[in-house]
Amino acid sequence: GWRIEIKKYPKLTRISAFRDETVVGHGGTSNVYDGERYGGFYTQKEVKEIVKYAQKRHVTIIPEIEMPGHSQAVLAAYPEIGCTGGPYEVATTWGVHNEIYCAGKEATFTFLTNVLDEVIDLFPGKYIHIGGDEAPKERWEECSDCQKRIQEEGLKNEHELQSYFIKRIEKYLNSKGRRLIGWDEILEGGLAPEATVMSWRGVSGGIEAAKQGHDVIMTPNTHCYLDYYQADPKTEPLAIGGFLPLERCYSYEPIPEELNSNQTHHILGVQGNVWTEYMNTPEYVEYMAYPRAIALAEVGWSQKSDKDFKNFKKRLEHHYKRLDQLHVNYFYEIPKPQSVKDFFPFLKSCKIELTLPKEEAEIYYTLDGSHPNNNSKKYKNPIKLRKSATIKAITYLPGCSEYSKVKTITAEKLDYLKAVDLNGLKQGLSCKYFEGEFSKIRDFKNNYLQEELTTDNFTIPDLARNSNFACEFKGFLKIDRKNIYTFYLTSDDGSILKIGNQIVIDNDGLHSATKVQGSVALNKGYYPIEVKYFQAGGGATLKLDWNHEYVEESSIIPVENLFHK
């Protein structure tokens, strides 16, 4: 998806920033999709705020405007700058796609230079990253415009056509006082004169570029890809693949031995990459980045002779305490105990089973919310509960002084809410639409009210045309069979769900698309239901699903179950 507002090309954020659905599981093997529209983007106002925030901390943000590949989302909005003319769709799975910018059409370069003009205005740093990686040449081989360009420019093949493309963009960036960075594929067909290379396919690209007198940032996937697994995939959340444990990350030496003393100054530094295809929350990103980012920082800031992994691991214990204080969700070498879920709603009793990540490991737990240690109760059999409890559990390895991080499980005993007696209801929900600046649910004020309407479900109404708006949905939920019902509220930004007089889900505040769940016990009958939601610029998302024992998986609440007066 396209993720930045470009005022000259509004379809980039209206079309290219959203995909119809997302692959479930690994993009290379799965044919299952979630059926949920996903998207969002940074407004130019938000970009300026982020850049300013970074500048105060002496951080330079480098934007990457990918070209000529990884551009299918753009072509979905502007098919005229593709080789075939489309139609194109925003991809719904990860990977490399054949649809790339047409290198033979002048319209392509007009589009890209116009985009770069707005990007340059937003990012004051001297570098602009243009990608240049993973650009299949199949379309260029079949395109009469691209073949004509090859002939007119005296190029040998499509690889030299890519070099022409990159050099032309670099010349434009240089005219604006900026320098181009690209991935090591920009070496193919001849390197642009002033380009800086990011060496990701191992280190050979960086070595070659430095020998040619070009600056290099070393980021080989063998040591610097923090989206790779850091432990046994069976005990880890889904990742793209690969394996990069902490010690291997720490072992990297950015200055290649192949370079002489006159060439090593071209190695500017080292970079850790955290590609987030499989990371859908900030906590997930933190888990993949830390502590490997700390190891990579020491790689970049220390002399090779000063590095000692045993000493680093000892000092890392102090870093863990700092990360705990900052509420950073980091990976710890001893895996936490596992359970099928983290929230167990129940009526009379429940049984919670924990599994050991290692055969020789032991689990200790508490039920009162206190921090467990190996003097706490030892787990032997599933935990049986008749009242609400917060279970905190750790993995302990006998003979080892270290524990895992704490696994927290909430078990909540529910009482049935009381249904209300109603007559004369109409199907659907009532909805109030507001426009104004909101940062929390309690900012709702009726003087912001723009329109009142009825709707079939809890989705953003089509009339939402401002980037700052709010919606208030009210109605009654019809329950046909008594049961525990679990609701899943996804929003970008804040939202809450109330059933009866009870807040079931509190997802308030400024945040990206975040899913929060809550459960409630309901008898047969009607229950007041209310969802409040606000959007504070950027991408807008709102979705309410439910689940109960009579359905196989979570889904939107059917309109047959929703009513209003």
Side-chain angles (χ1 to χ4, degrees):
W2 183 270
R3 297 286 173 246
I4 184 171
E5 178 189 20
I6 302 295
K7 294 186 184 295
K8 194 175 184 69
Y9 298 106
K11 287 193 287 187
L12 287 173
T13 45
R14 196 165 70 241
I15 297 172
S16 305
F18 295 88
R19 58 178 178 266
D20 289 339
E21 56 186 354
T22 306
V23 66
V24 176
H26 200 282
T29 57
S30 176
N31 292 314
V32 179
Y33 294 82
D34 62 11
E36 298 181 15
R37 188 169 184 260
Y38 176 84
F41 58 92
Y42 294 96
T43 65
Q44 293 199 3
K45 179 183 176 184
E46 289 169 334
V47 170
K48 290 174 182 176
E49 290 172 355
I50 294 166
V51 168
K52 185 177 180 181
Y53 179 93
Q55 284 178 321
K56 287 181 179 179
R57 290 152 181 81
H58 310 287
V59 171
T60 300
I61 297 178
I62 299 174
E64 180 181 356
I65 307 300
E66 182 77 36
M67 60 185 83
H70 289 298
S71 47
Q72 184 168 318
V74 174
L75 301 184
Y78 297 96
E80 63 273 15
I81 55 176
C83 288
T84 68
Y88 307 101
E89 294 181 351
V90 180
T92 56
T93 189
W94 322 117
V96 180
H97 304 285
N98 286 334
E99 309 303 341
I100 68 176
Y101 291 121
C102 178
K105 294 176 180 175
E106 282 303 303
T108 300
F109 294 97
T110 300
F111 171 86
L112 288 172
T113 52
N114 286 337
V115 167
L116 289 170
D117 283 344
E118 295 194 33
V119 170
I120 287 168
D121 287 342
L122 293 170
F123 296 92
K126 67 178 179 179
Y127 292 109
I128 301 290
H129 204 306
I130 56 81
D133 62 310
E134 298 180 330
K137 308 299 188 290
E138 283 85 346
R139 295 290 181 264
W140 287 1
E141 291 169 359
E142 302 163 356
C143 175
S144 59
D145 291 312
C146 290
Q147 293 304 311
K148 183 180 178 183
R149 179 81 73 186
I150 289 174
Q151 292 177 353
E152 290 177 348
E153 298 295 332
L155 307 175
K156 292 179 182 178
N157 52 36
E158 287 72 25
H159 291 292
E160 288 199 1
L161 180 59
Q162 173 155 330
S163 179
Y164 162 86
F165 192 115
I166 301 301
K167 287 176 180 177
R168 183 166 172 178
I169 294 296
E170 184 192 44
K171 186 176 180 181
Y172 186 78
L173 289 174
N174 291 163
S175 75
K176 299 289 184 176
R178 301 304 174 89
R179 295 191 62 179
L180 177 148
I181 299 182
W183 301 105
D184 56 48
E185 283 95 331
I186 67 173
L187 286 157
E188 298 168 6
L191 193 53
E194 304 294 328
T196 297
V197 173
M198 280 190 173
S199 186
W200 75 276
R201 297 178 300 177
V203 298
S204 59
I207 294 169
E208 182 182 345
K211 286 182 176 179
Q212 291 182 29
H214 288 265
D215 287 345
V216 176
I217 297 160
M218 300 301 286
T219 177
N221 57 352
T222 52
H223 294 80
C224 299
Y225 270 48
L226 308 186
D227 56 337
Y228 283 9
Y229 285 108
Q230 51 198 324
D232 186 347
K234 293 176 183 176
T235 64
E236 291 299 294
L238 181 65
I240 191 170
F243 181 58
L244 180 60
L246 183 67
E247 185 170 6
R248 181 171 178 80
C249 186
Y250 186 85
S251 71
Y252 181 53
E253 172 49 47
I255 307 295
E257 294 179 355
E258 293 87 342
L259 299 183
N260 61 40
S261 58
N262 295 321
Q263 298 164 337
T264 56
H265 73 276
H266 286 299
I267 306 299
L268 300 183
V270 62
Q271 171 177 287
N273 292 329
V274 191
W275 308 114
T276 60
E277 296 100 320
Y278 298 97
M279 306 174 205
N280 56 5
T281 66
E283 293 77 18
Y284 200 160
V285 177
E286 290 172 353
Y287 179 83
M288 298 300 285
Y290 292 97
R292 290 184 293 186
I294 298 170
L296 206 56
E298 191 154 312
V299 165
W301 295 338
S302 299
Q303 296 295 326
K304 183 179 180 180
S305 58
D306 292 334
K307 286 166 57 182
D308 180 332
F309 184 66
K310 286 185 178 179
N311 179 270
F312 171 73
K313 279 202 73 177
K314 187 176 180 181
R315 288 182 285 109
L316 200 54
E317 292 301 317
H318 299 288
H319 282 294
Y320 289 143
K321 292 174 183 177
R322 293 187 178 101
L323 295 173
D324 287 336
Q325 286 293 108
L326 294 167
H327 305 292
V328 173
N329 182 41
Y330 57 90
F331 166 84
Y332 199 69
E333 201 163 357
I334 302 175
K336 293 187 289 187
Q338 301 296 311
S339 62
V340 293
K341 54 186 179 180
D342 295 334
F343 180 65
F344 290 82
F346 66 95
L347 292 168
K348 293 182 179 179
S349 64
C350 74
K351 186 187 294 184
I352 298 172
E353 185 173 355
L354 302 176
T355 55
L356 290 162
K358 295 184 177 182
E359 287 185 13
E360 69 274 22
E362 298 172 348
I363 295 176
Y364 293 88
Y365 69 95
T366 61
L367 296 176
D368 59 2
S370 62
H371 199 295
N373 55 42
N374 62 335
N375 293 317
S376 303
K377 190 168 184 178
K378 186 176 180 180
Y379 177 84
K380 296 179 180 178
N381 297 302
I383 302 167
K384 297 178 181 178
L385 296 171
R386 293 187 178 275
K387 60 181 181 179
S388 298
T390 299
I391 301 168
K392 292 197 171 184
I394 54 164
T395 304
Y396 173 70
L397 296 177
C400 178
S401 61
E402 298 176 346
Y403 304 103
S404 72
K405 291 174 68 179
V406 174
K407 171 78 170 181
T408 301
I409 301 167
T410 303
E412 184 178 354
K413 186 175 183 180
L414 303 175
D415 294 319
Y416 282 108
L417 295 185
K418 188 176 181 180
V420 295
D421 295 323
L422 295 167
N423 292 304
L425 295 179
K426 298 177 182 179
Q427 204 161 66
L429 299 162
S430 65
C431 174
K432 291 182 178 180
Y433 170 74
F434 307 82
E435 288 185 358
E437 298 273 339
F438 305 96
S439 61
K440 57 184 81 69
I441 293 296
R442 69 168 179 258
D443 290 342
F444 275 51
K445 294 176 183 175
N446 271 328
N447 57 313
Y448 291 126
L449 182 63
Q450 297 290 312
E451 198 163 336
E452 296 187 55
L453 62 148
T454 57
T455 180
D456 289 341
N457 50 43
F458 299 93
T459 55
I460 299 167
D462 292 337
L463 58 84
R465 51 195 170 265
N466 195 302
S467 60
N468 294 276
F469 67 90
C471 299
E472 180 183 80
F473 301 86
K474 283 189 175 182
F476 298 91
L477 176 64
K478 181 187 177 187
I479 298 298
D480 298 313
R481 305 167 80 170
K482 73 174 185 177
N483 195 15
I484 292 178
Y485 290 80
T486 300
F487 296 84
Y488 307 88
L489 183 58
T490 305
S491 67
D492 172 359
D493 291 281
S495 59
I496 62 166
L497 167 66
K498 283 180 69 175
I499 297 178
N501 293 318
Q502 180 175 322
I503 294 179
V504 178
I505 296 175
D506 186 344
N507 195 8
D508 201 3
L510 297 168
H511 53 73
S512 58
T514 304
K515 181 188 284 189
V516 179
Q517 72 178 65
S519 297
V520 64
L522 302 174
N523 261 309
K524 184 177 180 180
Y526 291 88
Y527 296 85
I529 185 169
E530 177 182 336
V531 169
K532 289 185 176 181
Y533 161 73
F534 74 87
Q535 172 58 34
T541 302
L542 177 65
K543 190 165 189 267
L544 179 64
D545 292 337
W546 72 345
N547 198 359
H548 50 88
E549 67 176 297
Y550 306 117
V551 296
E552 291 184 4
E553 56 187 26
S554 60
S555 60
I556 63 170
I557 303 170
V559 66
E560 293 81 10
N561 292 81
L562 298 173
F563 294 86
H564 69 284
K565 285 186 178 179

